[in-house]
Amino acid sequence: MVWGLLGNIQFQLSEAPTRLGVTESTNFVKIPRIEQKPALQWTGDELRQLKFEFRFNVSWCNPSDQLRRLQDARISRQPMDLIVGEGEFRGYYLIQKIEAQVEQTDAEGNLLWVSVPVSLTETTDAPEPEVVALEPFLRRIA
């Protein structure tokens, strides 16, 4: 069963985050007033910050592959849509930070258990649409 999608990274229910934190904040500017306390003027909301903590274990996934997919997504710096549950769209996000905390390896050093805190930042940029196939459009009939 699928817990959610981040871009093209699918998380099964067994790979769902063990922790989820959300930070939302609002910006105000102080407007000085003579012989009074300053007034506050709302200037907008900050981008939402999400913090997930994943725990990948070899008994239900390949921890190295899951970690690599997250790292590749961060390096790409591309906005990704976040969809959870039964298709609930939560917005577009960029991976800002990944920490890998190795819990257990085998004798050769392969990951068996890893905790992966991931920080996401909301973005107002939508991802570029994926082009499924260009070939039919490239052919020309003489």
Side-chain angles (χ1 to χ4, degrees):
M1 180 172 212
V2 175
W3 174 82
L5 295 166
L6 179 61
N8 63 359
I9 303 172
Q10 181 175 309
F11 297 101
Q12 298 298 324
L13 193 55
S14 60
E15 301 163 336
T18 56
R19 292 178 191 228
L20 171 60
V22 178
T23 302
E24 295 177 328
S25 59
T26 303
N27 291 321
F28 295 93
V29 66
K30 286 184 181 180
I31 302 171
R33 296 191 286 191
I34 298 173
E35 296 183 14
Q36 295 182 45
K37 291 184 178 183
L40 294 176
Q41 172 69 47
W42 173 71
T43 59
D45 293 330
E46 280 290 326
L47 296 170
R48 182 178 290 134
Q49 304 283 319
L50 299 180
K51 293 186 180 188
F52 292 129
E53 183 168 335
F54 296 100
R55 294 181 59 83
F56 300 131
N57 187 291
V58 73
S59 64
W60 61 78
C61 69
N62 184 322
S64 296
D65 286 350
Q66 287 295 76
L67 180 57
R68 189 175 311 108
R69 290 169 60 193
L70 288 168
Q71 290 168 333
D72 289 345
R74 183 192 61 79
I75 290 167
S76 76
R77 297 182 300 280
Q78 297 298 313
M80 296 175 286
D81 47 344
L82 177 62
I83 299 170
V84 296
E86 295 182 15
E88 185 180 337
F89 175 73
R90 295 286 180 98
Y92 300 113
Y93 288 86
L94 295 165
I95 296 178
Q96 184 174 355
K97 184 178 183 180
I98 297 173
E99 299 175 48
Q101 300 165 353
V102 176
E103 305 284 341
Q104 184 179 12
T105 65
D106 64 14
E108 288 81 38
N110 298 311
L111 288 178
L112 297 179
W113 185 278
V114 64
S115 296
V116 185
V118 177
S119 298
L120 303 176
T121 300
E122 183 180 28
T123 181
T124 57
D125 297 330
E128 292 291 324
E130 289 187 33
V131 177
V132 177
L134 284 176
E135 188 176 319
F137 300 104
L138 296 177
R139 290 187 196 153
R140 295 188 185 261
I141 300 174

